[in-house]
């Protein structure tokens, strides 16, 4: 099979980018930075959560605000931070949020209901009565021309106190002419609280705008600038992200100090002056709002501006300068961030932001009141929702055929079918880049980590075929003599098929006589399509006895259920619940596809300070209990009758499970042991000479006298100190040694924890983690609310596909090698990943480094080989192959990266880093690496442009937002409510997550349930994770893979509350619900089907939490609105983007 590289059809690099120039602006907190021209506008002082976004003029492209003459717009190579380069624009939300009180402003000092000081209405523009106008899809951009007029809304200049009524607002607006080609109708009355997305198109010259028109006496600006500033600019209260003016320092991303100075009397000098406010009013009645198209692909160009300046409406003279002062160099086209003023009700002081803002120099006009600060328009920065939506639309309909080398697969959020034609499916392997640098120098320069996230036993959808099982008989699989790579589609047959040349090490090996086949005229074997190992990327071999321990075939594995019967476990009802569930669950043990019953044997142990073993031999009338009280020297008191076949011993097992809750009903024993429990299971598997899994149900810190005894060492004072890392490390090395013994025997441990207080997950989790097992945690377990989740997790955990006694090795072609591994496993050498158990949800992340040069012609190859015992006791080899391209141009590397996989790797790298370094060091290293990745792109791949532009590679434009989510996660930046155990638990969980799980874990999915179509099977369209996207009149669902929140706004219609919760009013909704009531109406059915659909996509059953707006649980919900500033000090997306830009510019300078 040919693996030659296909011709690359991607867009050419090096074309000039659209955008506007890097105008200077004062620094973050009003301080001016040296070496930059002064600006007449004030400092960017961070976003103010309580202010609304201004309505961008219809058709205004932030990035096309100041096109320079002769700058062609290329939308091919880079993404510009204008809405149409970021993927399609969202149509304005049509939520039924009530409009803000007309023109009413809150008294200064008014504190709104919520933590983030958001006002009365949280979102939504009522649906416009007129149809949305869709701008032209794609037209050429004519350089140096004036923009096209489009009907638009205006924001107006305000003097004196804020107007108090609609009439006053109208009077304010009366003097403003807004250019438009058609008679413009006003937008619908009463805009809601959220930002209106900018609309594709351009704006005509204006007489209104944020800045006062220059009077004749003021004189024109410097002549060199008037060329570069078309008249569209002043209308929108926005400007480029400054060239030299980003936050001077953002230690831990804390917001800047509040500005001081009140009213017109305290004007500071030009350099540090914040700009005058826009006090937007309600739109005029009857005006339609031309909305953006609901989906517009990433490559649509902007509509052409007309080539003349004629036909302008009255407004400021053309020579007047409305933007910031000119840069000292000629403006260049590029890819900028756009700043946007505030639109909406005036707020009192915001947390961490100054209450009053000093005015700005007013050039002869009367002084205005203190202005609100500007902030970047969230709609003009890359949106995860948009990127996900575009990928679904562009790549969801076609199957992904794996025949071509180095193809980047669709995103994990896209539903697609895979056709294996020689490379492993992305469900098994995903890479950070599918085109890797030819040299280590180039890899070092780009700082893009080369890694693969491998999920060897991944579950496939029903429409895809499972890997074929190939049996070569006693001779076993055909392998390379030197490097021992397994036969795969990339091996080259030579000498008429008598030998093959290894694609990994180039060694030539004789083809065994039984495997010989003739070649066709292209050099392919004639049985190419009959043999999975020659034509497919993934397949299995039946292993021979040489691949087995002690050279004998393994016995079928065993499951041992070990139940804590201390006071807490019995009192909470947990023991009875587990015993009841096991009666039916034992019929669903995993089995090979065609087997009638499972080959897995089962055993039972209960424990508190001592261990109780049970003989459940089929010949017994009643089970027998044997107690081992010498926990210091653990042994198994019986061999025959401990591990049994479920069907043979069914009645004895049922009798035992009935008796256990009764036997311990009156226990007073509160102390437990833990290590001896694992030792007991290990000894039982050793005695039975088989691999297996221990299911341990445990409730408390093991303080009883025994090996592995622990003490309570929880200490929140260590957070943010150099000793913080000890919180993630085990207390004792005892458990590491125990884990090593377990791996050697193939004893995997799954741990179900039910803590009411500190339990030391960091230590108890060592054995599950190193044996390839799982940890499940149910803090403050309550039968009525948590049993459903626990039972679902237990059922799935017992039934899922699992391989035992597994060893994985990753081979690579010459030039790169696997150097680092992340996941739940044990390594006794540098190449073999050993796991006592490996299930279908676990991933192993592998990092590669160069040890030689690669060539563009031959590319690079990976082969992952997993040796394991199936649940029927069959020894197998599962092989996954993947071919990647190699490049000598950095642009090719950046064009073929996968951000979701990159974030998965970076999170795991950081989460391992906290074991040995202070958390702050880990965070700084993450930021620095991402800044280097983006700076290298900017320097080597982007077309030349001013430093004031933030230029992101198209396939990495979500790197900043996702990275910020990792930095704000509980492991790296805990809030006050996050326990030490929570952090250790999350750290271990994330380390073996696949790419789809980390994607939704770090950037949760937020769905507006009230927008769901009750007649369709599809999910409602997701919205961005920010409080300003929420409307008080709606119900939303947020999921992150561990929890599902249903957030109910205070103004939700009574009928919806009745239909979903079965109560008549908002106040009657219970927070204690753990499942939604089953009600016979379309809305209830739809919401429950959405919840079930989401639950089915995740590996764990998510906890359902009902959150009522303004309720105490809302703080927890807000923690997951990851685009906003977090309570624990994490930056908002907008702030972090500014910070990243500053870091990149420092690296470039």
């Amino acid at each position: 099979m040919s693996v030659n590289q296909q011709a690359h059809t991607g867009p050419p690099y090096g074309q000039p980018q659209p955008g506007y120039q890097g105008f200077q602006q004062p620094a973050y907190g009003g301080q001016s930075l040296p070496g930059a021209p002064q600006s007449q506008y004030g400092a960017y002082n961070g976003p103010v959560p309580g202010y609304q976004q201004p309505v961008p003029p219809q058709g205004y492209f932030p990035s096309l605000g100041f096109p320079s003459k002769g700058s062609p717009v290329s939308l091919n190579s880079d993404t510009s931070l204008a809405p149409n380069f970021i993927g399609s624009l969202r149509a304005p939300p049509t939520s039924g949020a009530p409009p803000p009180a007309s023109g009413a402003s809150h008294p200064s000092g008014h504190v709104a209901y919520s933590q983030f000081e958001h006002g009365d209405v949280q979102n939504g523009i009522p649906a416009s009565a007129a149809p949305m106008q869709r701008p032209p899809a794609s037209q050429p951009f004519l350089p140096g021309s004036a923009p096209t007029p489009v009907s638009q809304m205006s924001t107006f200049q305000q003097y004196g106190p804020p107007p108090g009524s609609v009439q006053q607002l109208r009077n304010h607006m009366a003097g403003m002419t807004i250019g438009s080609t058609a008679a413009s109708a006003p937008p619908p009355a009463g805009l809601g609280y959220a930002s209106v997305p900018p609309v594709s198109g351009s704006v005509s010259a204006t007489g209104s705008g944020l800045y006062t028109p220059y009077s004749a006496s003021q004189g024109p600006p410097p002549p060199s600038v008037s060329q570069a500033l078309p008249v569209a600019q002043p209308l929108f209260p926005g400007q480029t992200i400054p060239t030299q003016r980003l936050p001077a320092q953002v230690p831990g991303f804390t917001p800047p100090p509040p500005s001081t100075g009140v009213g017109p009397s305290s004007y500071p000098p030009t350099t540090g002056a914040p700009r005058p406010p826009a006090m937007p009013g309600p739109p005029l009645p009857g005006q339609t709002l031309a909305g953006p198209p609901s989906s517009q692909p990433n490559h649509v160009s902007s509509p052409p501006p007309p080539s003349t300046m004629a036909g302008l409406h009255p407004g400021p003279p053309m020579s007047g300068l409305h933007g910031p002062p000119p840069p000292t160099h000629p403006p260049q086209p590029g890819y900028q961030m756009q700043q946007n003023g505030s639109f909406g009700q005036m707020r009192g002081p915001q947390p961490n932001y100054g209450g009053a803002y000093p005015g700005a120099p007013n050039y002869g006009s009367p002084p205005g009141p203190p202005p609100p600060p500007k902030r970047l328009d969230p709609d003009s920065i890359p949106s995860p929702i948009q990127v996900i939506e575009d990928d679904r639309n562009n790549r969801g309909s076609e199957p992904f055929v794996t025949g071509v080398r180095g193809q980047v697969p669709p995103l994990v959020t896209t539903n697609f079918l895979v056709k294996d034609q020689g490379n492993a499916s992305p469900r098994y392997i995903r890479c950070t880049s599918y085109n890797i640098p030819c040299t280590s120098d180039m890899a070092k320069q780009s700082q893009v980590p080369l890694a693969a996230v491998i999920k060897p036993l991944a579950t496939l959808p029903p429409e895809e075929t499972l890997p074929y099982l190939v049996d070569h008989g006693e001779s076993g699989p055909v392998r390379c003599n030197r490097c021992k790579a397994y036969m795969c589609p990339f091996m080259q047959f030579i000498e008429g098929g008598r030998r093959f040349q290894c694609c990994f090490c180039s060694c030539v090996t004789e083809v065994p006589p039984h495997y010989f086949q003739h070649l066709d005229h292209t050099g392919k074997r004639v049985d190419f399509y009959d043999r999975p190992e020659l034509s497919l990327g993934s397949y299995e071999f039946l292993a021979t006895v040489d691949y087995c321990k002690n050279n004998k075939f393994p016995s079928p594995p065993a499951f041992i259920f070990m139940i804590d019967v201390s006071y807490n476990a019995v009192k909470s009802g947990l023991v009875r619940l587990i015993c009841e569930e096991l009666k039916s669950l034992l019929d669903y043990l995993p089995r090979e596809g065609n087997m009638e019953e499972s080959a897995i044997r089962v055993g039972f142990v209960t424990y508190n300070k001592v261990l109780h073993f049970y003989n459940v031999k089929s010949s017994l009338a009643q089970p027998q209990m044997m107690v081992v009280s010498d926990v210091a020297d653990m042994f198994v008191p019986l061999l025959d009758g401990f591990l049994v076949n479920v069907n043979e011993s069914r009645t004895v097992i049922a009798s035992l499970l009935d008796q256990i809750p009764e036997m311990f009903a009156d226990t007073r024993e509160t102390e437990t042991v833990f290590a001896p429990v694992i030792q007991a299971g290990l000894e039982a598997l050793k005695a039975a000479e088989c691999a297996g899994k221990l299911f341990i149900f445990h409730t408390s810190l093991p303080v009883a006298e025994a090996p592995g005894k622990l003490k309570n060492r929880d200490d929140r004072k260590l957070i943010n100190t150099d000793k913080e890392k000890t919180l993630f490390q085990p207390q004792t090395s005892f458990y590491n040694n125990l884990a090593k013994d377990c791996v050697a025997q193939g004893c995997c441990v799954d741990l179900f924890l039910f803590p009411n207080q500190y339990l030391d997950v960091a230590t108890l989790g060592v054995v599950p983690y190193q044996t390839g097992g799982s940890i499940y945690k149910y803090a403050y377990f309550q039968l009525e609310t948590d049993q459903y989740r626990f039972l679902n997790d237990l059922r799935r955990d017992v039934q899922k596909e699992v391989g035992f006694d597994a060893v994985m090795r990753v081979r690579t072609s010459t030039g790169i090698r696997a150097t680092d591994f992340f996941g739940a496993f044990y390594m006794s050498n540098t190449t073999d990943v050993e796991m006592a158990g490996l299930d279908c949800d676990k991933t192993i992340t592998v990092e590669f480094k160069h040890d030689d040069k690669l060539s563009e012609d031959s590319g690079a190859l990976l082969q992952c080989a997993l040796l394991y015992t199936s649940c029927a006791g069959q020894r197998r080899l599962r092989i996954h192959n993947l071919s990647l391209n190699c490049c000598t141009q950095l642009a090719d590397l950046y064009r073929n990266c996968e951000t979701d996989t990159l974030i998965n790797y970076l999170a795991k790298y950081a989460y391992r880093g906290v074991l040995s370094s202070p958390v702050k060091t880990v965070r700084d290293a993450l930021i620095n690496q991402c800044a280097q990745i983006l700076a290298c792109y900017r320097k080597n791949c982007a077309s030349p442009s001013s430093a004031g532009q933030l230029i992101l590679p198209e396939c990495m434009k979500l790197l900043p937002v996702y990275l910020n989510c990792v930095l704000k996660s509980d492991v790296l930046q805990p809030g006050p409510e996050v326990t030490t155990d929570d952090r250790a638990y999350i750290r271990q969980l994330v380390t073996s997550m696949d790419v789809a799980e980390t994607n939704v874990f770090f950037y949760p999915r937020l769905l507006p349930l009230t927008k769901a179509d009750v007649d369709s099977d599809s999910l409602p369209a997701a919205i961005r994770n920010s409080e300003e996207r929420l409307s008080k009149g709606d119900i939303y669902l947020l999921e992150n893979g561990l929890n599902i929140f249903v957030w109910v706004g205070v103004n939700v219609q009574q009928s919806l509350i009745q239909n979903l919760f079965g109560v008549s009013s908002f106040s009657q909704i219970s927070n204690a619900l753990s499942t939604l009531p089953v009600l016979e109406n379309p809305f209830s059915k739809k919401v429950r089907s959405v919840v079930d659909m989401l639950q089915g996509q995740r590996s764990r059953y998510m906890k359902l939490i009902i959150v009522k707006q303004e309720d105490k649980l809302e703080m927890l919900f807000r923690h997951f609105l990851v685009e906003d500033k977090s309570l624990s000090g994490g930056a908002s997306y907008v702030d972090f983007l500014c910070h990243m830009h500053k870091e990149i510019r420092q690296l470039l300078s």
Side-chain angles (χ1 to χ4, degrees), residues 40-41 206 211-214 221 229 231 233-234 316-318 320-324:
Q40 84 223 48
Y41 300 110
T206 107
Y211 316 115
T212 345
Y214 287 81
L229 289 177
V231 282
Q233 191 269 338
M318 264 313 293
L321 172 63
H322 296 287

Side-chain angles (χ1 to χ4, degrees), residues 52 84 86 164 199 253-254 362 437 449 538 564 575 654 662 714 788 950 959 977 981 1025 1030 1111:
Q52 219 172 337
N84 68 324
I86 292 166
V199 182
F253 313 132
T254 48
N362 44 61
S538 299
D564 174 348
V575 173
E662 306 308 326
D714 190 17
Y788 198 63
L950 172 60
L959 188 60
E977 72 295 335
D981 275 346
N1025 275 215
L1030 304 180
D1111 186 68

Side-chain angles (χ1 to χ4, degrees), residues 570-627:
V570 174
K571 187 188 62 162
S572 64
L574 181 63
V575 173
R576 188 174 298 278
L577 182 69
I578 293 167
C579 291
E580 281 303 313
E581 178 60 27
L582 286 180
K583 285 183 202 170
S584 54
L585 187 54
L586 293 178
D587 289 332
Y588 297 96
L589 298 176
R591 57 177 186 257
E592 294 292 329
N594 51 4
M595 291 173 60
E596 291 203 1
E597 64 173 58
S598 173
I600 293 175
R601 291 169 297 163
V602 298
F604 302 89
V605 172
T606 56
Y607 67 93
N608 39 45
K609 266 179 23 179
V610 297
L611 276 75
H612 322 106
F613 292 79
Y614 297 93
N615 183 345
V616 281
K617 200 173 175 179
S618 55
S619 56
L620 294 174
Q622 283 293 320
Q624 294 172 346
M625 175 164 105
M626 299 185 183
V627 181

Side-chain angles (χ1 to χ4, degrees), residues 698-940:
H698 190 78
T699 60
S700 58
L701 191 69
V703 292
E705 273 309 321
K709 172 186 173 179
L710 300 178
K711 60 179 190 291
N712 187 337
R713 54 161 186 164
D714 190 17
D715 186 0
R716 291 192 60 84
K717 292 198 287 295
L718 297 181
I719 293 178
N720 295 327
T721 69
D722 284 354
K723 288 189 175 168
E724 185 172 3
K725 57 182 180 238
T726 60
L727 297 176
F728 296 110
Q729 298 165 352
Q731 274 190 46
T732 154
S733 61
F734 182 87
Y735 288 95
N736 296 74
N737 298 327
L738 182 54
K740 185 177 167 183
D741 296 340
C742 286
V743 172
Q745 180 56 39
C747 168
C748 176
V749 177
D750 279 0
L751 181 56
F752 293 80
L753 294 172
F754 306 87
N756 290 334
Q757 56 198 21
Y758 178 72
L759 195 70
D760 203 348
V761 174
T763 306
L764 297 189
V766 166
V767 178
Y769 183 69
Q770 292 192 16
T771 59
S774 306
I775 305 180
Y776 298 84
K777 182 164 158 286
Y778 310 88
Y780 306 105
F781 178 81
Q782 288 183 309
L783 208 57
E784 52 280 7
T785 54
D786 295 318
Q787 67 164 332
Y788 198 63
R789 177 166 62 112
F790 161 59
L791 292 179
N792 273 284
D793 282 341
L794 177 59
R795 284 167 198 157
R796 191 166 188 283
D797 196 57
V798 167
Q799 294 173 41
K800 66 185 171 189
E801 184 190 353
V802 58
F804 294 95
D805 227 343
V807 182
M808 186 182 99
R809 182 176 281 195
V810 178
R811 292 178 174 85
T812 54
S813 53
T814 312
I816 54 170
R817 62 193 170 87
T819 55
D820 211 349
F821 301 85
F822 304 84
F825 53 74
Y826 174 79
M827 289 187 82
S828 56
N829 58 35
T830 55
T831 53
D832 294 339
V833 174
E834 300 173 50
M835 293 154 289
L838 173 69
D839 63 49
C840 55
D841 299 321
K842 294 283 185 303
T843 62
I844 292 95
T845 301
V846 185
E847 187 180 7
F848 303 98
K849 290 260 171 37
H850 286 76
D851 56 7
D852 204 345
K853 282 199 174 113
L854 294 164
S855 92
E856 280 187 283
D857 299 335
S858 54
L861 300 173
L862 316 178
Q863 184 178 80
C864 162
L866 175 78
L867 174 65
Y868 70 100
T869 303
S870 75
C871 55
Q874 202 174 49
R875 200 71 175 147
R876 293 181 179 180
L877 284 151
R878 180 168 289 201
I879 312 295
H880 298 297
N881 303 288
L882 187 63
S883 60
L884 303 173
N885 287 330
C886 297
C887 57
T888 53
Q889 299 296 317
L890 282 164
D892 292 327
L893 164 68
Y894 282 102
R895 206 187 274 122
N896 290 280
C897 287
E898 235 251 318
T899 299
D900 292 321
T901 311
L902 193 56
I903 288 293
N904 179 285
Y905 164 84
L906 289 171
K908 290 173 180 177
Y909 184 77
Y911 280 17
R912 186 177 67 184
V914 298
L915 290 173
S916 53
S917 307
V919 172
K920 184 181 185 310
T921 310
V922 173
R923 291 165 47 82
D924 292 346
L926 268 185
I927 295 168
N928 184 44
Q929 180 166 9
C930 287
Q932 286 189 322
I933 290 171
L934 298 175
C936 174
Y937 174 80
R938 171 64 190 264
K939 184 177 175 187
N940 299 288

Side-chain angles (χ1 to χ4, degrees), residues 101-279:
S102 305
S105 73
H106 288 281
S108 168
H110 166 84
V111 176
Y113 73 86
S114 78
Q115 166 67 22
F116 291 131
E117 306 278 312
H118 272 272
D120 314 312
V121 180
Q122 274 193 299
N123 184 21
I125 302 159
S128 163
M132 300 287 186
Q133 298 174 13
R134 189 182 174 108
S138 176
Q139 295 174 8
F141 185 96
L142 305 178
S145 50
T148 325
V150 180
S151 120
Q152 81 236 6
M153 252 159 49
S154 108
T155 47
F156 58 83
Q157 177 71 34
Q158 176 200 331
Y159 301 100
S165 68
V166 179
Q167 188 52 49
Q168 283 174 268
L169 285 167
R170 287 189 183 144
N171 295 347
H172 265 283
M173 295 185 78
M176 302 179 185
T177 335
I178 300 171
S180 71
T181 36
S184 64
L191 277 170
Y193 192 102
S195 49
V196 180
V199 182
S200 176
S202 301
V203 191
S204 79
T206 107
S208 72
L210 191 59
Y211 316 115
T212 345
Y214 287 81
S215 60
S217 63
Q218 284 167 252
S224 62
V225 187
S226 55
Q227 309 284 321
L229 289 177
V231 282
Q233 191 269 338
L235 195 131
F236 193 72
Q239 72 194 53
T240 61
I241 276 276
T243 311
Q244 308 292 345
R245 301 277 188 216
L246 276 143
Q249 61 185 57
V250 190
F253 313 132
T254 48
S259 322
T260 51
V262 191
S265 60
S266 61
Y267 288 128
T270 6
T271 37
R275 64 198 61 111
M279 174 63 197

